Amino acid sequence: MAEGIEVPAQRDMLLDLGPGLGQGYLFARPLPEERLADLFRGRLGRQG
């Protein structure tokens, strides 16, 4: 797993190298636990 992916150029380089998994600000900002649970349930950004 690659950590700290912040810009598209880093993502592109890592895709070429093939780690398969990555995380970083390019994909999502850190979330509080309850918002993360909503994200996994598909509710993030929805009202109600």
Side-chain angles (χ1 to χ4, degrees), residues 10-45:
Q10 291 172 321
R11 178 203 56 214
D12 295 344
M13 181 181 67
L14 292 167
L15 286 171
D16 289 340
L17 295 174
L21 298 172
Q23 67 180 32
Y25 283 125
L26 180 65
F27 305 111
R29 300 286 183 195
L31 296 173
E33 181 180 349
E34 61 276 0
R35 300 254 345 244
L36 183 61
D38 287 342
L39 177 66
F40 285 128
R41 291 185 191 110
R43 295 187 221 161
L44 196 61

